[in-house]
Amino acid sequence: MIFSRSQRRWFAGATLCLLFALCAALLVDALIAQWSPSLDLSGLRPGGQLSERSRATLTDTTGTLSITAIFPTEDPAALPTGRLLRIFAQTSRQLAGANLALTYVDPRLSPSQAEYLAAQGAEGSGLLFRQAGRHVFLPERALLTEHGRFAPEEAEEAIASAIARLSREDGITLGWLTGHGEPDFSQTDPTTGFSALRRALEREGYSLRAISPETTALPTDLGALLIVSPRYPITATERALLADWLDRGGRLLCALPPGGDAGLTALFEQWGIRAGSTPRQSLRQAPNRAGFTDALSPEHPITRELAGRTHLILTAPRALYALPTRGLSLTPLLSIEAAPLPPSTTPETVTVAMAAERVSTAVGADLALRPGRLLVLSEADFLRNARLMNHATANRDFALNAIHWLTGLSGSGAPSGTAGMLRLGWDRHARHRATRVLAIGLPLGLCLLLWLLTRKRA
């Protein structure tokens, strides 16, 4: 077959367009994955105003609290941290909370004072909180994002958490079950990682520890155990171990993997919870097609302060159903409105998180008589970095409130973000959709335009 000059010109142009578009799409995808650009509107609170969670923490704090900022003068975090501390002190006075005594120390200009603070618990640059013989040191990295940038929202939450830790027991250990394909809680991927959850828990005074399934008994010092998105089923032996631990007053949080229950059906049903299928698409959607929920229980400690004041975002949650079970207290915590099933035109209300509590019936050598508690969250994406790093939703607040409830700690349940605002950005799925459009749609459009032009000239 012999092509004319115009046809050869058309095929050459089309090939160049395809190659150019493919290279551009791959480049854009790589740049977005590297920089993760976003517009976070949640931080646009009126100047000098703290979040409700920080204000509630200050309200619950009394007495005199000493805060020493230890930074070299040229440290880029020194000036914004100092401004934020002054806002905390002013807000605390307005709320009749603790008297925050602020001190600023440059360790190079005052070496003797820096040595004294080091003996008090300061380890390099950061903030040292002291009250009634207790101290909490907040290193500079805790005030920054995982990429090393100063973010007012991150720093504010870290300071509020440090103040709250002074008045309660510290050092509670949380277990993270491993051995079934669970994700690493230190993974820092901005979309799929769980490092934001780890950072938030460490700021609250918790420590995370991996728990291997080979053990014959759970450690006695666990405040709670987290089972997050296991890919492989938990064995019957492990399930019996978990059931016995819960019956003796253990605390367990389960975040289910997509499309499965990880072999935990029997355990859930003992606790009055049954996991169903993924409901139809949520009627309320975020820009990335995730579902909104602002239907939170106004009665449970986890959601009481969040109900009616903020919203959460879920990707593809499972439906959870309560089974009548004697001796159990069941509370549906979150619900969404899903698209109705034909021929019905009424939206379906689906529970996607449920809490269960049962009074212990046995006293072991390691656990005192206390109620066993189980929290089932019907998806693990709720706890990923893409959700918890978004200050405009209450996903992080819900997670912290849940851990406080499980471990029996008191803490503010107020939201830390600004209700009704969104963080606009691309997650991994949105990037891949954009890549497909750039690699397929754009070249086809250019080829069509080129074909029309050459056809018209011919």
Side-chain angles (χ1 to χ4, degrees), residues 13 22 47 64 103 117 160-161 171 195 205 216 271 288 297 319 326 339 379 409:
L22 180 60
T64 299
T103 308
L117 293 173
S161 296
S195 58
T216 57
W271 283 74
N288 56 3
S297 170
R326 188 175 181 180
E379 71 163 25
L409 287 185

Side-chain angles (χ1 to χ4, degrees), residues 15 40 94 107 315:
T15 302
D40 194 344
Q94 294 172 351
T315 303

Side-chain angles (χ1 to χ4, degrees), residues 143-167:
L143 301 169
L144 310 176
T145 66
E146 292 184 340
H147 303 290
R149 298 189 299 268
F150 183 89
E153 299 85 4
E154 292 286 332
E156 178 189 331
E157 291 185 10
I159 293 172
S161 296
I163 293 174
R165 286 168 55 187
L166 282 173
S167 59

Side-chain angles (χ1 to χ4, degrees), residues 372-411:
R373 291 175 177 175
L374 171 66
L375 173 62
V376 179
L377 189 60
S378 65
E379 71 163 25
D381 280 355
F382 183 92
L383 301 174
R384 294 188 189 274
N385 289 346
R387 302 287 178 245
L388 265 65
M389 293 173 69
N390 186 341
H391 295 278
T393 70
N395 284 39
R396 172 158 38 182
D397 299 317
F398 178 93
L400 292 178
N401 293 350
I403 297 299
H404 288 335
W405 176 72
L406 288 172
T407 57
L409 287 185
S410 60

